[in-house]
Amino acid sequence: MMAKAAMGASKPLEGALEAFIYVTFPVPASYSKKRTEACLSGQEKHTKKPDLDNVIKSVIDGMDKIVFENDSQFTSIHATKVFGEVPKVEVLVKQV
Protein backbone atom coordinates (compact mmCIF):
# COMPACT_ATOMS: atom_id res chain seq x y z
CA MET A 1 0.00 0.00 0.00
CA MET A 2 2.82 2.43 0.88
CA ALA A 3 4.73 1.50 -2.28
CA LYS A 4 1.67 2.29 -4.41
CA ALA A 5 1.23 5.62 -2.66
CA ALA A 6 4.90 6.50 -3.13
CA MET A 7 4.93 5.57 -6.82
CA GLY A 8 1.62 7.24 -7.69
CA ALA A 9 1.03 6.90 -11.43
CA SER A 10 4.71 6.17 -12.16
CA LYS A 11 5.65 2.96 -13.90
CA PRO A 12 7.95 0.43 -12.20
CA LEU A 13 11.66 1.26 -12.39
CA GLU A 14 13.74 -0.45 -15.06
CA GLY A 15 17.36 -1.54 -15.15
CA ALA A 16 19.80 -2.09 -12.31
CA LEU A 17 18.63 -0.95 -8.88
CA GLU A 18 20.08 -0.27 -5.45
CA ALA A 19 18.06 -0.32 -2.22
CA PHE A 20 18.65 1.29 1.15
CA ILE A 21 16.42 -0.09 3.93
CA TYR A 22 16.47 1.37 7.45
CA VAL A 23 14.30 -0.45 9.99
CA THR A 24 13.55 1.00 13.43
CA PHE A 25 12.13 -1.19 16.21
CA PRO A 26 10.74 0.05 19.52
CA VAL A 27 12.63 -0.71 22.72
CA PRO A 28 10.75 -3.42 24.66
CA ALA A 29 8.76 -1.98 27.57
CA SER A 30 10.33 -4.59 29.87
CA TYR A 31 13.83 -3.06 29.44
CA SER A 32 15.22 -1.01 32.33
CA LYS A 33 15.71 2.74 31.93
CA LYS A 34 19.49 2.23 31.65
CA ARG A 35 19.12 -0.47 28.98
CA THR A 36 16.55 1.62 27.10
CA GLU A 37 18.98 4.54 27.03
CA ALA A 38 21.71 2.19 25.73
CA CYS A 39 19.38 1.00 22.96
CA LEU A 40 18.35 4.50 21.92
CA SER A 41 21.95 5.78 21.92
CA GLY A 42 23.11 2.92 19.70
CA GLN A 43 25.28 1.33 22.40
CA GLU A 44 23.07 -1.78 22.38
CA LYS A 45 22.31 -3.21 18.96
CA HIS A 46 19.06 -4.88 17.90
CA THR A 47 20.10 -8.53 17.71
CA LYS A 48 16.72 -10.13 18.38
CA LYS A 49 14.05 -11.33 15.98
CA PRO A 50 12.92 -10.54 13.42
CA ASP A 51 16.04 -11.37 11.47
CA LEU A 52 17.16 -8.56 9.18
CA ASP A 53 17.23 -10.81 6.12
CA ASN A 54 13.56 -11.70 6.67
CA VAL A 55 12.63 -8.03 6.99
CA ILE A 56 14.50 -7.24 3.76
CA LYS A 57 12.66 -10.04 1.94
CA SER A 58 9.27 -8.76 3.15
CA VAL A 59 10.03 -5.18 2.13
CA ILE A 60 11.32 -6.17 -1.32
CA ASP A 61 8.37 -8.54 -1.90
CA GLY A 62 5.96 -5.75 -0.95
CA MET A 63 7.37 -3.51 -3.68
CA ASP A 64 7.41 -6.16 -6.44
CA LYS A 65 5.60 -5.09 -9.63
CA ILE A 66 4.96 -1.67 -8.07
CA VAL A 67 8.39 -0.07 -7.63
CA PHE A 68 10.25 -2.50 -9.92
CA GLU A 69 9.42 -5.38 -12.26
CA ASN A 70 11.58 -8.10 -10.73
CA ASP A 71 13.79 -8.35 -7.66
CA SER A 72 16.60 -9.66 -9.84
CA GLN A 73 17.12 -5.99 -10.81
CA PHE A 74 18.80 -5.33 -7.45
CA THR A 75 22.56 -5.24 -7.63
CA SER A 76 23.01 -3.87 -4.11
CA ILE A 77 20.94 -3.79 -0.93
CA HIS A 78 22.08 -1.88 2.16
CA ALA A 79 20.03 -2.61 5.30
CA THR A 80 20.18 -1.57 8.93
CA LYS A 81 18.01 -2.38 11.95
CA VAL A 82 18.10 -0.23 15.06
CA PHE A 83 16.14 0.67 18.15
CA GLY A 84 14.21 3.92 18.16
CA GLU A 85 11.34 5.74 19.77
CA VAL A 86 9.14 5.48 16.68
CA PRO A 87 8.93 2.13 14.86
CA LYS A 88 9.22 2.54 11.10
CA VAL A 89 10.70 1.27 7.87
CA GLU A 90 12.38 3.74 5.52
CA VAL A 91 13.20 2.66 1.98
CA LEU A 92 15.06 4.30 -0.86
CA VAL A 93 15.28 2.54 -4.23
CA LYS A 94 17.31 4.12 -6.97
CA GLN A 95 18.54 3.23 -10.41
CA VAL A 96 22.29 2.68 -10.76
Side-chain angles (χ1 to χ4, degrees):
M1 181 172 56
M2 297 305 292
K4 284 182 183 180
M7 290 299 286
S10 299
K11 292 183 180 180
L13 299 172
E14 297 178 353
L17 303 174
E18 184 174 35
F20 297 85
I21 303 170
Y22 195 82
V23 186
T24 304
F25 289 95
V27 178
S30 62
Y31 282 15
S32 68
K33 184 176 181 180
K34 183 177 179 181
R35 190 169 182 192
T36 296
E37 289 173 6
C39 290
L40 294 176
S41 70
Q43 293 173 337
E44 184 170 333
K45 305 297 182 187
H46 190 292
T47 58
K48 306 292 183 200
K49 290 188 180 277
D51 299 346
L52 185 56
D53 61 324
N54 293 334
V55 174
I56 293 167
K57 180 73 173 149
S58 295
V59 169
I60 298 295
D61 287 350
M63 296 186 299
D64 191 37
K65 304 285 188 263
I66 300 167
V67 177
F68 53 86
E69 285 297 328
N70 191 293
D71 59 7
S72 65
Q73 292 172 252
F74 286 98
T75 60
S76 180
I77 297 175
H78 308 270
T80 304
K81 75 175 181 175
V82 298
F83 285 112
E85 294 183 14
V86 178
K88 59 187 169 186
V89 177
E90 298 170 286
V91 181
L92 171 67
V93 176
K94 65 180 192 173
Q95 293 174 305
V96 291

